[in-house]
Amino acid sequence: MLANLRVVLVQTYHPGNIGASARAMKTMGLTDLVLVNPRQFPDPEASRLAAGAEDIVESARVVDSLEAAVADCVQVVGASARLRNQPLPHYDEPDAMARDLITQAEHDPVAMVFGRERFGLTNDEIRCCSHQVSIPANPDYGILNLSQAVQVLAYEAFKAWRLRPESGYEPQRATQERQPSREQLAHFHAHLSRVMQASGFITQPHARTEQHLQALFARAQPSRKELSLLRGLLASLEP
């Protein structure tokens, strides 16, 4: 599905924004980048700001019109910060747009279209789209950099894809530390008790200090490695 989701940048002025947008795409699993009449491309600045996504920049296709960029797409969503007097369906929330796009992308190409840095898409270009979408932002200052807008919508598309049961997506998790056995915990608490008594920390036999400490370590759930570290600390304190 993600392979069928295309990002189209129209007349990008700064080549660095092409690289930054490619980076935003790659972090969200998108690979199909099409450039409509970029001012300057290829350019070293685009590759530099791609920062690991140079393959997206190098494989980007350059076309001379938005019509050519989206001719094979069944759904084309134009990103715009301004409301237009166009009879197009409008997504007020990017997540709703993303769910629809991903559904369509299961079988056919779809596209998200982003305009120029200074004034976005023209009315004629909006008419090339099937839908519009806006990114909710601060009403007093709702201006996003081009690559930021790409990142937001690419994230929503990636989220819509990974939440589908058939995506098979599994988040990376840290390796789980092994937990100590009950016997190892018992040896640790016995060791701790000997050190506390030898040091004079426990002076009253009826005090519940040891029980409180046992409860503390039960909540902390130290791993075997951490318990071994504590045993080493206790050993260093013994005469």
Side-chain angles (χ1 to χ4, degrees), residues 9 86 94 97 100 114 142 147 164 189 221:
L9 306 183
Q86 302 286 348
M97 173 220 68
D100 287 352
F114 300 85
S147 62
R164 294 171 69 100
H189 285 297
Q221 296 184 320

Side-chain angles (χ1 to χ4, degrees), residues 23 28 125 135:
R23 182 179 182 180
M28 297 299 137
E125 289 161 349
I135 298 173

Side-chain angles (χ1 to χ4, degrees), residues 52-68:
E54 292 88 350
D55 56 325
I56 307 295
V57 173
E58 292 168 1
S59 64
R61 292 179 289 125
V62 178
V63 298
D64 60 6
S65 68
L66 179 56
E67 290 86 350

Side-chain angles (χ1 to χ4, degrees), residues 91-182:
Y91 291 105
D92 294 322
E93 296 295 336
D95 59 340
M97 173 220 68
R99 288 192 296 270
D100 287 352
L101 269 185
I102 290 298
T103 297
Q104 294 288 349
E106 187 172 0
H107 301 292
D108 297 289
V110 297
M112 297 187 297
V113 180
F114 300 85
R116 304 153 188 80
E117 293 94 330
R118 294 182 180 177
F119 57 89
L121 298 169
T122 66
N123 285 336
D124 286 342
E125 289 161 349
I126 287 291
R127 279 191 284 269
C128 286
C129 303
S130 60
H131 297 73
Q132 287 180 264
V133 66
S134 299
I135 298 173
N138 179 1
D140 295 326
Y141 188 78
I143 303 170
L144 275 73
N145 175 273
L146 172 60
S147 62
Q148 292 173 335
V150 173
Q151 185 73 78
V152 170
L153 297 190
Y155 166 75
E156 291 292 352
F158 181 73
K159 181 176 71 172
W161 167 78
R162 68 178 172 83
L163 292 180
R164 294 171 69 100
E166 65 271 25
S167 73
Y169 177 81
E170 293 185 4
Q172 294 183 341
R173 292 186 174 89
T175 303
Q176 186 69 34
E177 293 277 358
R178 294 183 65 193
Q179 294 299 301
S181 66
R182 303 309 299 172

